[in-house]
């Protein structure tokens, strides 16, 4: 029983941290504030951002639903059984889908940039993904 609680708590803590951590600068901020886009680039980026903005809420809602499913499984379960494992698997699938779509979005945006802009963009993305500890 203790092992099941520890396993579920670890998954919940990890999920909570991922969903609630301090957000790095958004792609929108990086692209629009740090890169000098030409008008044609700006128009193409706007289309890409609108397309991602349409799918992102659904992906994030699925992650939240998986967290709620895990909470119910922990509450109702007798241990680290099939219900908890199914909820953990659901969370992993949901978070993976969000991450894959986000990465595809990053590369789609980068494809619009000049090589010099892409270098700055890459640097900022890498910084956002590898924050230094304070």
């Amino acid at each position: 029983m203790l092992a099941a609680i520890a396993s579920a708590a670890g998954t919940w803590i990890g999920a909570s941290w991922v969903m609630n951590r301090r957000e790095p600068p958004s792609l929108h901020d990086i692209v629009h504030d740090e890169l000098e886009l030409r008008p044609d680039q700006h128009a193409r980026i706007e289309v890409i951002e609108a397309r991602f903005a349409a799918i992102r809420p659904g992906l994030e809602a699925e992650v939240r639903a998986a967290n709620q499913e895990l909470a119910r499984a922990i509450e109702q379960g007798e241990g680290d059984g099939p219900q908890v494992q199914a909820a953990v698997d659901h969370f992993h699938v949901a978070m993976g889908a969000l991450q894959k779509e986000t990465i595809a979005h990053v590369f789609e945006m980068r494809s619009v940039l000049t090589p010099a802009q892409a270098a700055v963009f890459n640097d900022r993305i890498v910084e956002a993904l590898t924050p230094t500890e304070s």
Side-chain angles (χ1 to χ4, degrees), residues 16-74:
S16 295
W17 178 80
V18 167
M19 295 299 290
N20 295 318
R21 70 177 191 242
R22 186 181 153 274
E23 291 293 320
S26 71
L27 289 176
H28 181 89
D29 293 342
I30 292 168
V31 170
H32 293 282
D33 296 343
E34 298 184 31
L35 305 175
E36 295 181 20
L37 297 176
R38 298 184 315 257
D40 65 303
Q41 289 175 306
H42 181 76
R44 289 175 63 195
I45 292 287
E46 289 296 321
V47 169
I48 292 167
E49 288 179 326
R51 189 170 40 246
F52 186 64
I55 65 168
R56 183 177 177 179
L59 295 166
E60 291 173 340
E62 189 62 25
V63 171
R64 285 189 301 278
N67 274 336
Q68 291 172 349
E69 180 183 332
L70 179 57
R72 284 190 305 276
I74 291 168

Side-chain angles (χ1 to χ4, degrees), residues 47-119:
V47 169
I48 292 167
E49 288 179 326
R51 189 170 40 246
F52 186 64
I55 65 168
R56 183 177 177 179
L59 295 166
E60 291 173 340
E62 189 62 25
V63 171
R64 285 189 301 278
N67 274 336
Q68 291 172 349
E69 180 183 332
L70 179 57
R72 284 190 305 276
I74 291 168
E75 183 178 63
Q76 297 169 0
E78 293 296 320
D80 192 13
Q83 188 179 7
V84 170
Q85 286 306 307
V88 169
D89 290 344
H90 181 199
F91 173 79
H92 288 162
V93 168
M95 183 56 81
L98 174 60
Q99 190 170 35
K100 285 177 183 179
E101 288 295 333
T102 301
I103 295 303
H105 175 63
V106 166
F107 287 124
E108 186 177 14
M109 290 180 71
R110 188 176 74 177
S111 73
V112 173
L113 305 176
T114 66
Q117 291 168 327

